[in-house]
Amino acid sequence: MTERIPDISPSLIEVDEALPRYKSSRQHARALVVQGLYSMWLSSNDAPMVRIDTERALGFRAADGEYFRAAWAGVTAAQPELEGLMFNHLDRTEEELSPIERAILCLGVWELRDRVDIPYKVVINEAVELAKRFGGTDGHKYVNGVLDKLAPSLRAPEWAAAHPSQ
């Protein structure tokens, strides 16, 4: 007997109005990117289909749509490179990394690498908050540690200015 994998496309995810709201539309967009990546990897659906489903999902209007589309395109197009950067700083194999932590790290690495308009401390903090919300018990600590190790190389001038004695 084969096990049936449930359909977890974002358009079928019910929104629990009792859940805390995001402080900003950009935080909501980040959460949708993470949920979309998770859905894509577990369902093996292609990125354009998952993006369309996510944009049609209940609650998408509360998100920063422009940021969502930029992040989605950036992360899905550069996923191998982003993962290459982060896997150099992992203390576990790819198979041992949870899909949620993987999605959060891919988004965080993309923001560190490609969105210099967002301070690196904000990138790390937002990733930690996503890990607290969606990840395992101590997933936020792991996400924080990996992104903190990447920040000096991906944001060298900004990191040096924040750490003049190092």
Side-chain angles (χ1 to χ4, degrees):
M1 178 176 195
T2 60
E3 182 178 340
R4 184 179 181 283
I5 299 173
D7 186 350
I8 55 170
S9 65
S11 61
L12 299 177
I13 298 172
E14 292 184 30
V15 176
D16 183 351
E17 294 300 325
L19 287 175
R21 299 216 182 265
Y22 295 97
K23 293 178 186 174
S24 72
S25 59
R26 186 165 285 188
Q27 285 179 333
H28 192 118
R30 283 184 181 102
L32 290 175
V33 170
V34 168
Q35 290 172 318
L37 291 170
Y38 178 84
S39 171
M40 183 177 73
W41 294 331
L42 266 58
S43 67
S44 298
N45 290 329
D46 65 351
M49 185 176 115
V50 173
R51 181 192 53 80
I52 290 167
D53 278 351
T54 302
E55 289 182 4
R56 290 181 180 161
L58 196 59
F60 181 79
R61 287 181 297 191
D64 179 339
E66 185 178 325
Y67 180 80
F68 169 81
R69 285 183 279 283
W72 184 260
V75 172
T76 57
Q79 183 185 334
E81 299 108 65
L82 300 173
E83 288 181 340
L85 289 168
M86 72 183 187
F87 288 146
N88 290 331
H89 298 282
L90 299 182
D91 63 354
R92 57 184 80 163
T93 66
E94 180 180 350
E95 294 77 28
E96 294 172 320
L97 187 64
S98 84
I100 288 293
E101 289 170 356
R102 179 181 173 201
I104 293 167
L105 286 169
C106 279
L107 177 59
V109 173
W110 174 76
E111 284 186 329
L112 284 173
R113 189 187 78 171
D114 295 355
R115 292 300 299 252
V116 294
D117 59 311
I118 305 169
Y120 85 91
K121 289 182 181 183
V122 172
V123 170
I124 294 172
N125 185 63
E126 291 296 324
V128 166
E129 290 304 315
L130 284 167
K132 285 179 181 177
R133 183 170 186 142
F134 297 116
T137 305
D138 286 331
H140 66 283
K141 294 176 184 175
Y142 192 73
V143 165
N144 182 61
V146 173
L147 293 178
D148 199 47
K149 289 176 186 172
L150 277 166
S153 62
L154 294 176
R155 295 287 186 91
E158 184 183 359
W159 193 88
H163 302 87
S165 62
Q166 295 180 5

